[in-house]
Amino acid sequence: MIFSLLELKKLANLDKNIKVEDVVRAMTSLGFEVENYSKFLDIEGIKFGKIESITQNPQADGLKVCQIKFNDKNRTIQTTATNVFENMIVVAFVPGSRVNETVFDKKELKGIISEGMLSNISEFGINKNLLRKKLVDGIYAYQNVSLDEDPVEVLGLDDYLIDVDILSNRSDAASYYVMAQELSAYFKTNIVLPLTKQANSKNSLQVNKGLAHQLSFMTATNDFDISLYQQIFLAKHNIKSINNATDLTNLTLLYSGLPIHVYDQKQMDFEFTAQLASGKVKVLGDKEVVLENNLVIKNGHDIVSIASVIGLEKYKIVAMLTANFFDLKIMI
């Protein structure tokens, strides 16, 4: 499993001076086999800036001239992006900033000096196939950030990814909570769990646990958002950010190790139960599998997941078009 050094240090409440080598050494001492570790991105010097005015370059219809306020000085940066606007907070590669081997400097564009380049998220070096479309197309508008903050720190870009081989007798450690507990015990710190939002436990769902030892559901409304930091966090694990509901299930799996599924409540009209089933079904990813007396979760006569581990293509959430959804968790 891939672990983010920044997230482990935050959850395990480790001192900022503890290096990746220290954490890897601790994991090895605790009995875990670390396959390798590497930097997430190689980027530095980018800055938050606030666009104060936008004019057209008189020599190029496709070039906008932006006057941008940064924490150290005002700069003129030209862009071809069509979605920029005044008072927008952006990230820019200013002169002296770097991504991989590319170092940015001033450059004359159609008679006007451009002091850097505005950047979308994928230009940091993140695989654009793992990002939502709005993070790839055009310039991203940041919220609730200070110009004095470092985007590399705010977005968790200066990170190391640690690949740990989780043995079958320690499957519980395939989660951030358990690994953070192990590290906090090793470094003698107190673990810090993130703040959670209370779910609405009042619902009219019909549930019969059937063959499961326990079958539990909760309802929730679409009144939350997956932050940019969390979307990038998913990309660190090669997980594509899709929508709030799907991202929530993937984040829950990473942190707790427990698989959950989320469904549109309007599609679920009947009693839920755990039963055995046989036959062909299409799981997420549009892959057909053959069941041979396997444990499944049904809503009425329809299979909605295989043992609450693999969801079905038919019931995937493709977009947050409805206000209500609920998630499913099973413990066998």
Side-chain angles (χ1 to χ4, degrees):
M1 178 174 170
I2 300 295
F3 288 98
S4 155
L5 175 68
L6 290 178
E7 198 66 13
L8 282 177
K9 288 178 66 174
K10 180 167 64 176
L11 292 173
N13 198 21
L14 303 185
D15 188 272
K16 64 179 181 179
N17 294 320
I18 290 178
K19 297 179 173 58
V20 63
E21 292 83 4
D22 301 322
V23 172
V24 168
R25 192 177 304 113
M27 288 177 165
T28 303
S29 297
L30 290 165
F32 299 105
E33 184 176 342
V34 176
E35 295 288 340
N36 58 68
Y37 62 92
S38 60
K39 283 187 68 70
F40 171 50
L41 298 176
D42 188 13
I43 185 172
E44 62 182 11
I46 56 177
K47 285 182 173 290
F48 286 122
K50 181 179 181 180
I51 298 178
E52 297 195 319
S53 68
I54 302 173
T55 57
Q56 193 72 40
N57 185 315
Q59 297 185 37
D61 293 338
L63 273 178
K64 293 182 175 64
V65 183
C66 302
Q67 302 299 328
I68 305 178
K69 179 181 179 181
F70 293 92
N71 66 339
D72 58 341
K73 61 180 289 188
N74 289 0
R75 292 181 175 88
T76 299
I77 295 180
Q78 299 192 72
T79 181
T80 58
T82 59
N83 68 324
V84 293
F85 53 88
E86 291 184 0
N87 296 317
M88 178 181 181
I89 304 295
V90 296
V91 161
F93 284 100
V94 299
S97 61
R98 179 184 61 82
V99 57
N100 299 322
E101 302 301 320
T102 302
V103 179
F104 290 82
D105 202 350
K106 298 178 182 179
K107 184 177 181 180
E108 182 178 329
L109 297 174
K110 297 297 182 178
I112 298 176
I113 298 295
S114 183
E115 302 174 87
M117 182 187 81
L118 300 187
S119 175
N120 64 30
I121 308 301
S122 64
E123 288 169 324
F124 297 158
I126 303 173
N127 184 348
K128 66 180 181 180
N129 295 321
L130 301 175
L131 300 172
R132 298 189 191 184
K133 193 172 185 297
K134 70 176 183 178
L135 300 185
V136 177
D137 298 339
I139 303 302
Y140 184 79
Y142 294 83
Q143 306 290 330
N144 304 317
V145 295
S146 165
L147 300 188
D148 290 325
E149 293 181 282
D150 182 356
V152 172
E153 181 178 338
V154 171
L155 302 177
L157 307 181
D158 187 20
D159 199 0
Y160 279 89
L161 303 182
I162 307 171
D163 187 359
V164 181
D165 184 15
I166 303 297
L167 300 178
S168 58
N169 65 335
R170 284 305 312 270
S171 59
D172 61 318
S175 72
Y176 273 85
Y177 288 159
V178 171
M179 188 60 75
Q181 287 175 337
E182 294 277 358
L183 290 174
S184 68
Y186 182 90
F187 288 101
K188 296 180 173 56
T189 62
N190 295 317
I191 191 169
V192 178
L193 297 181
L195 295 175
T196 57
K197 187 174 182 179
Q198 184 65 41
N200 171 24
S201 60
K202 296 181 179 180
N203 62 72
S204 57
L205 300 177
Q206 304 175 60
V207 180
N208 175 5
K209 67 180 182 179
L211 296 177
H213 292 305
Q214 183 172 335
L215 183 62
S216 59
F217 297 80
M218 66 181 70
T219 60
T221 54
N222 183 27
D223 60 352
F224 70 96
D225 196 15
I226 301 298
S227 69
L228 178 57
Y229 179 94
Q230 291 170 322
Q231 292 177 51
I232 294 174
F233 179 74
L234 289 172
K236 292 177 182 180
H237 300 81
N238 293 316
I239 298 174
K240 179 177 176 59
S241 176
I242 299 174
N243 54 53
N244 291 345
T246 303
D247 288 359
L248 178 62
T249 65
N250 285 323
L251 288 168
T252 301
L253 177 60
L254 288 173
Y255 281 103
S256 69
L258 298 175
I260 68 170
H261 296 282
V262 62
Y263 304 100
D264 187 340
Q265 188 170 7
K266 292 182 179 180
Q267 291 182 289
M268 305 290 132
D269 298 323
F270 306 102
E271 180 184 72
F272 287 89
T273 185
Q275 302 177 16
L276 298 178
S278 299
K280 295 180 179 179
V281 294
K282 281 191 175 182
V283 298
L284 292 173
D286 206 26
K287 179 181 178 181
E288 187 174 83
V289 299
V290 178
L291 302 178
E292 296 182 0
N293 214 31
N294 297 108
L295 184 66
V296 301
I297 307 303
K298 285 188 175 182
N299 180 250
H301 296 293
D302 286 351
I303 299 172
V304 296
S305 76
I306 301 176
S308 193
V309 175
I310 306 175
L312 265 64
E313 183 75 14
K314 179 180 178 180
Y315 292 104
K316 72 178 181 181
I317 301 291
V318 295
M320 294 305 294
L321 300 178
T322 58
N324 296 318
F325 66 88
F326 59 88
D327 61 21
L328 163 63
K329 180 171 62 180
I330 182 173
M331 290 176 285
I332 303 299

